[in-house]
Amino acid sequence: MGIEDSSGERNGGDLVVETLEALGAKTVFGIPGQHALGLFDAMGRGNLHFVSSRVENNSAFAADGYSRATGEVGVLFLSTGPGALTSLAGLQEAYATGVPMVVVASQIPLEGLGARRKGMLHQLDDQKASAANVTKSQRLIQHASGIPSAIQDAWTEAISSPQGPVWLEIPQNVLLDPIMVPPVEDALAEAADNPPRVELVREAVKWLQGARRPAIIAGGGTRRGKAEKSLLSIAEKLRAPVICTPGGNGAFPWNHELSLQSWIEDRYMTDVLEDADVLVVIGSSLGEVTSNYFTFEPRGRIIQIDAEPRVLESNRPGLGIRADAGQALAALDEALAPADVAADWHGSTPEELVKASLAKVKARLESQDLAKELAFMADIREAVPADMQTFWDMTIAAYWAWSCWDSREGQFHSAQGAGGLGYGFPAAIGAAVGLETLGKPAGSARVLAVSGDGSSMYSISELATAKQHNVPVTWLIVDDGGYGILREYMVGAFGKATATELARPDFVKLAEAFGVPAVKVAPEDVGEALKAGFAADGPNVVVVETLLKMFGPTHLGD
């Protein structure tokens, strides 16, 4: 089917744009495509700001970063077939982490649907089935009149806990054909209520009021549910030590006297959590990392709070409370009085236990040959403004950050939900665009992305996007000549590494070829280089050639 000229007439694409604008959307990420031209034509008549990435999975990462940084819904426009499929790895991260997004993909014309092999460009047997593993739901819109309600429903589902991406697809002719539907004047999407059951709150309170050694694990759901204030109140009432997972980093004040920070992979912390008589787990499945690689053997009772019912008791039996973390902790906080019994960790106060446990972790790290790594991470932290948001790829520096990064007033974001490569830079682009959209000046909108040389190559083309839109993002590339963590894993397991070494470009010259300023510095100069990058205008790159090591794993035994 050829492209019809609908100049001067409204079409299905207009309904998409009008509905999104009515719902509050301001920015859209994606890449144009033949079947999606109706969407892009309509954007020319609307007010949506479009950011064109160079690869669709990076568009998905950018929409994800936009949502995380702003708290708004990320919107993604995709073309049919290869474009839609290329986005799936990015959507897996958003789905695993609970990031609200509305994804609008084009489709082949209506007459080609139904798995008939008509030989249409980009034709798939069932495109939306490909998205079923990485989105909350999938809808095919077959009539223009159904577009506003379908998008409104998708938006509502995306923001309802557990939040996540929702997939819509619209055939080419439905987007292009003239319509009789009047312009969209308003649209309303309110998150579905997800409170805890009263009897479960009552039972949890009973357990906690009688606990002598309560402890709390704050996962990513704590942040998504905006439960930080309630968490702090509950922890102080119970005098319960709190540890944050990588996804929960920032949910609890880093230097609070009850904060075990984020050293979740250290056996000293695992020992504390195992010894708790009541352990409250919020917004976490107690999965691989949080359980110190499934070595965690709790001896007490578990209260697990999660908006996703499939998470509850998925790894450990306990009192499962299906609820939005914010609503659940608010209800618990309201019902909880200060504990009936004094917290007592075998003769130590909780505050003494926390201080001693952190000292043990510090001593363990200092007993290893990690001076370079500790200094490197400390220098980055010192250089980054306290309120700056940071986006971390799956790289050794990020694995350190999972445990040691004090996010202060900024937010910490990493790709640990799905664990794919290439997240950091495009997500940071989306975040910076989002912060500018909220009206922040470029200096306040600047964000930091951190990648390795391997992961950076997944998103290197987005230097063009950053330059085109003059995005205030500083990209730190830690170049160790290969897939560093896989190299370390293989050498540890097999005595040698195979297929982990990489030929890579001169990152400075490559960035400069895109018109993006770049500098290569020694590890000890990373702080000053970052500060200079933060003070500059638009995108810039800092490259550090160094081989970082990980701290010794404790789940294998000391």
Side-chain angles (χ1 to χ4, degrees), residues 131-152:
N133 272 324
V134 294
T135 55
K136 287 184 69 175
S137 68
Q138 309 80 42
R139 297 169 171 82
L140 170 65
I141 304 173
Q142 301 193 49
H143 304 283
S145 59
I147 289 174
S149 293
I151 292 177
Q152 181 173 279

Side-chain angles (χ1 to χ4, degrees), residues 437-520:
T437 301
L438 292 182
K440 292 185 178 293
S444 299
R446 181 167 293 278
V447 299
L448 171 68
V450 182
S451 301
D453 57 297
S455 59
S456 69
M457 292 301 291
Y458 278 68
S459 48
I460 200 77
S461 60
E462 301 310 324
L463 283 166
T465 304
K467 176 63 177 178
Q468 179 175 337
H469 297 279
N470 198 39
V471 181
V473 57
T474 296
W475 192 11
L476 172 61
I477 299 175
V478 184
D479 181 0
D480 63 12
Y483 295 124
I485 195 67
L486 299 178
R487 177 196 291 135
E488 189 168 316
Y489 288 163
M490 292 187 77
V491 169
F494 312 120
K496 65 176 182 177
T498 304
T500 59
E501 305 314 297
L502 298 172
R504 70 272 194 206
D506 182 324
F507 286 107
V508 171
K509 289 183 178 178
L510 182 57
E512 290 173 342
F514 282 96
V516 175
V519 61
K520 182 188 292 184

Side-chain angles (χ1 to χ4, degrees), residues 20 73-77 100-104 151 154-155 158 164-168:
L20 288 170
V73 173
V75 181
L76 178 62
F77 282 178
M101 290 170 54
V102 170
V103 184
V104 181
I151 292 177
W155 192 287
V166 178
W167 181 279
L168 297 146

Side-chain angles (χ1 to χ4, degrees), residues 180-475:
M180 296 182 292
V181 184
V184 177
E185 295 183 11
D186 61 70
L188 178 65
E190 294 183 345
D193 202 29
N194 193 0
R197 296 185 64 85
V198 173
E199 69 275 13
L200 296 178
V201 172
R202 190 180 301 121
E203 186 67 13
V205 168
K206 187 191 307 179
W207 290 14
L208 291 169
Q209 294 285 189
R212 294 182 66 84
R213 297 188 306 281
I216 300 171
I217 297 176
T222 316
R223 291 170 60 190
R224 290 189 294 278
K226 298 179 173 57
E228 294 90 344
K229 184 177 179 181
S230 296
L231 172 61
L232 178 61
S233 176
I234 290 169
E236 289 181 341
K237 283 180 182 177
L238 298 173
R239 293 176 67 202
V242 179
I243 194 164
C244 293
T245 71
N249 186 305
F252 195 74
W254 188 261
N255 291 316
H256 192 282
E257 61 183 356
L258 292 170
S259 175
L260 292 168
Q261 301 176 357
S262 290
W263 295 99
I264 198 83
E265 292 181 60
D266 191 281
R267 187 69 219 177
Y268 289 127
M269 297 304 180
T270 309
D271 290 343
V272 171
L273 300 174
E274 287 179 343
D275 191 34
D277 57 0
V278 178
L279 180 66
V280 184
V281 181
I282 310 156
S284 170
S285 65
L286 291 179
E288 188 169 357
V289 174
T290 304
S291 65
N292 205 354
Y293 302 92
F294 298 116
T295 61
F296 178 46
E297 295 287 345
R299 297 185 291 276
R301 296 188 288 184
I302 294 175
I303 299 168
Q304 187 174 20
I305 300 167
D306 208 285
E308 170 55 74
R310 291 175 296 177
V311 165
L312 299 176
E313 300 188 82
S314 59
N315 281 304
R316 289 284 167 184
L319 181 66
I321 302 177
R322 194 223 64 177
D324 171 75
Q327 290 184 264
L329 291 195
L332 275 177
D333 187 31
E334 184 178 357
L336 267 174
D340 291 339
V341 295
D344 180 7
W345 291 77
H346 310 293
S348 295
T349 67
E351 296 80 6
E352 290 169 344
L353 174 78
V354 166
K355 188 174 182 179
S357 298
L358 291 173
K360 288 177 184 177
V361 172
K362 184 173 185 287
R364 190 202 302 278
L365 293 172
E366 291 176 348
S367 72
Q368 302 172 30
D369 182 21
L370 297 170
K372 178 174 72 172
E373 287 76 8
L374 290 166
F376 187 74
M377 296 305 298
D379 288 347
I380 297 174
R381 178 59 278 182
E382 192 276 330
V384 173
D387 62 349
M388 181 176 284
Q389 300 199 33
T390 59
F391 289 79
W392 302 74
D393 227 315
M394 297 295 283
T395 188
I396 289 177
Y399 303 145
W400 269 95
W402 285 2
S403 294
C404 76
W405 187 261
D406 173 6
S407 55
R408 298 181 184 171
E409 291 87 54
Q411 291 190 57
F412 173 86
H413 310 281
S414 80
Q416 51 84 221
L421 292 179
Y423 171 80
F425 185 49
I429 290 174
V433 168
L435 293 173
E436 287 187 312
T437 301
L438 292 182
K440 292 185 178 293
S444 299
R446 181 167 293 278
V447 299
L448 171 68
V450 182
S451 301
D453 57 297
S455 59
S456 69
M457 292 301 291
Y458 278 68
S459 48
I460 200 77
S461 60
E462 301 310 324
L463 283 166
T465 304
K467 176 63 177 178
Q468 179 175 337
H469 297 279
N470 198 39
V471 181
V473 57
T474 296
W475 192 11

Side-chain angles (χ1 to χ4, degrees), residues 63-83:
D64 173 311
Y66 178 96
S67 178
R68 295 197 204 195
T70 64
E72 298 188 351
V73 173
V75 181
L76 178 62
F77 282 178
L78 298 170
S79 184
T80 317

